[in-house]
Amino acid sequence: VQLQASGGGLVQPGGSLRLSCATSGFSLDHFSLGWFRQAPGKEREGVSCIHSSDGSTYYEDSVKGRFTIARDNFGRTVWLEMNSLQPDDTAVYYCATDMEKRCTSSGGSNYLRPNNMDYWGKGTQVTVSS
């Protein structure tokens, strides 16, 4: 199983970025995938997750309405579209998968527990600054 996050960069407040998580070694048809972030001096936190076979998505309150998670059709990539970015969104962003639990629209916070993740990709830095 491999995951690789990419697409980070420097953006001004109010700007947008699109992160990608390329996956291999497992099927997104059967397993959920989550996005996490870790800001300097803070713990890693869940951001959003998806279970594409039934269309379930979940967003933490801090990003709801600004971020969108999606999968390319029948492919191996999950995107995180981030709009209206603010300095508080500055962090290293990671994608990860838990091979046992499932992301649901109402219970995504149960999925987005960093300690439960089985596989992690290398992170991509997102910096929001003027």
Side-chain angles (χ1 to χ4, degrees), residues 14-125:
S16 299
L17 279 175
R18 188 191 206 191
L19 305 184
S20 297
C21 179
T23 69
S24 63
F26 71 104
S27 173
L28 289 169
D29 290 336
H30 303 299
F31 298 100
S32 301
L33 185 142
W35 281 97
F36 296 79
R37 65 186 181 185
Q38 187 165 18
K42 294 187 177 181
E43 294 185 354
R44 193 169 296 187
E45 63 176 6
V47 174
S48 179
C49 63
I50 185 170
H51 192 83
S52 56
S53 63
D54 64 7
S56 295
T57 58
Y58 175 86
Y59 302 91
E60 292 291 347
D61 287 345
S62 58
V63 306
K64 198 175 296 183
R66 300 187 298 123
F67 290 14
T68 303
I69 191 170
R71 173 192 171 187
D72 65 335
N73 290 337
F74 307 108
R76 294 185 174 276
T77 301
V78 173
W79 297 310
L80 185 69
E81 184 77 30
M82 306 187 297
N83 298 312
S84 302
L85 284 163
Q86 299 301 320
D88 284 349
D89 296 315
T90 295
V92 178
Y93 283 71
Y94 301 87
C95 54
T97 187
D98 178 338
M99 292 290 180
E100 295 184 3
K101 292 183 174 57
R102 184 168 173 165
C103 174
T104 64
S105 298
S106 59
S109 59
N110 291 326
Y111 181 84
L112 290 170
R113 294 182 179 177
N115 288 343
N116 290 345
M117 294 294 123
D118 297 304
Y119 298 97
W120 290 88
K122 291 183 180 179
T124 184
Q125 176 71 47

